[in-house]
Amino acid sequence: MAPALLLVPAALASFILAFGTGVEFVRFTSLRPLLGGIPESGGPVVRQGWMAALQDRSILAPLAWDLGLLLLFVGQHSLMATETVKAWTSRYFGVLQRSLYVACTALALQLVMRYWEPVPRGPVLWEARAEPWATWVPLLCFVLHVISWLLIFSILLVFDYAELMGLKQVYYHVLGLGEPLALKSPRALRLFSHLRHPVCVELLAVLWVVPTLGTDRLLLALLLTLYLGLAHGLDQQDLRYLRAQLQRKLHLLSRPQDGEAE
């Protein structure tokens, strides 16, 4: 086990990498298609139809490359979440297991964003081109994206952001408090085992609500939608517990501070 003084910088480095990747992901999924000045799939170019696109290597090649990047990310994110891999990483990395998972996920996502190939000549599923839609649809999409990201950040805070990023595990270890998950109730542990992504609906809105849904964006939205859908297994008991926890958090936030009620 590494000395405690080395655990803290390692956890902080993983957190900084994940935070920076999150900011870059916002730019990749929202700012680029909404504020880039041109449609996400490339601007005023001649687009091919769907049948012609299936026979055009200049369209199929970048799509195959993008699919490979997405499968790399999904494979990493899923494989490292299995109990076998978690047990192995916990054995060799100890309390840094969560930080290692977060760092590897951030690196895999960085590969997707940095090497993503647009398909400007590919067909589009929809595109707001005629007025007034060309003006109002991007504006409405921008508002929905802002609301979705604000909800995502709020939900992450409710779900203990420090623990999700691996910081809390190291903090508890350095202070000798044990494992944070060991202090949670069985209902909370059951929920966490079923809900790997607490921001599923909001992220789906970010992926799909765009003024121009080009071929590469359609591939991104479809694959991540399938992955998010398969990664969830919530039932009524989980939903009741989640609703109760959210109500408790909101009640604590709405309570007047000491001295305000006097």
Side-chain angles (χ1 to χ4, degrees), residues 159-160 163 168 179-189 192:
F159 269 79
D160 200 341
E163 184 174 333
K168 195 171 185 179
E179 172 63 35
L181 285 177
L183 303 178
K184 294 187 179 296
S185 67
R187 296 175 67 193
L189 295 176
F192 293 160

Side-chain angles (χ1 to χ4, degrees), residues 32 43 194 212:
R32 189 177 71 169
H194 290 173
T212 301

Side-chain angles (χ1 to χ4, degrees), residues 181-203:
L181 285 177
L183 303 178
K184 294 187 179 296
S185 67
R187 296 175 67 193
L189 295 176
R190 185 178 188 274
L191 173 67
F192 293 160
S193 67
H194 290 173
L195 183 62
R196 290 178 55 191
H197 297 277
V199 293
C200 180
V201 176
E202 295 79 6
L203 188 55

Side-chain angles (χ1 to χ4, degrees), residues 149-170:
W149 285 118
L150 289 176
L151 288 174
I152 287 173
F153 297 144
S154 301
I155 293 173
L156 288 178
L157 291 177
V158 170
F159 269 79
D160 200 341
Y161 187 70
E163 184 174 333
L164 290 174
M165 295 293 103
L167 289 174
K168 195 171 185 179
Q169 289 86 334
V170 174

